Amino acid sequence: MIDSQLRQSDWNYEETVDRIEAIIDRVESGELPLEEVFEQFAVALECWQECESFLARRKEQMDLSIELLAAEPDF
């Protein structure tokens, strides 16, 4: 599910981080019933995993680009 969400062109790292922060703010405010706290925690965790996957994939791409540039004779 996470990989399919990352392939969507409308997925945005910054918006996902904002969503996590909004969930944290709501949980910390005490306005949510306990059951919803757990539900929102699960949503925040999934968002966090999406962000981690996105960053890991981008790091791999950058590492590969750096290796390719370093292998260039003119670099």
Side-chain angles (χ1 to χ4, degrees):
M1 182 175 166
I2 291 172
D3 286 337
S4 65
Q5 288 176 341
L6 292 179
R7 282 187 228 126
Q8 294 178 357
S9 62
D10 61 342
W11 188 88
N12 183 284
Y13 178 85
E14 289 81 7
E15 289 175 6
T16 305
V17 170
D18 289 344
R19 185 174 181 197
I20 294 168
E21 290 174 349
I23 291 170
I24 291 169
D25 289 343
R26 287 185 66 207
V27 168
E28 288 179 343
S29 75
E31 70 185 53
L32 300 175
L34 186 58
E35 183 176 332
E36 193 169 341
V37 168
F38 290 116
E39 291 171 5
Q40 291 299 301
F41 177 79
V43 171
L45 182 59
E46 184 175 334
C47 289
W48 178 79
Q49 290 171 333
E50 291 172 4
C51 290
E52 286 292 310
S53 178
F54 171 81
L55 292 173
R57 194 173 1 251
R58 295 303 185 248
K59 181 183 181 313
E60 288 175 11
Q61 289 174 344
M62 289 189 66
D63 289 345
L64 179 59
S65 295
I66 290 168
E67 286 178 30
L68 291 173
L69 284 173
E72 297 262 334
D74 295 336
F75 186 69

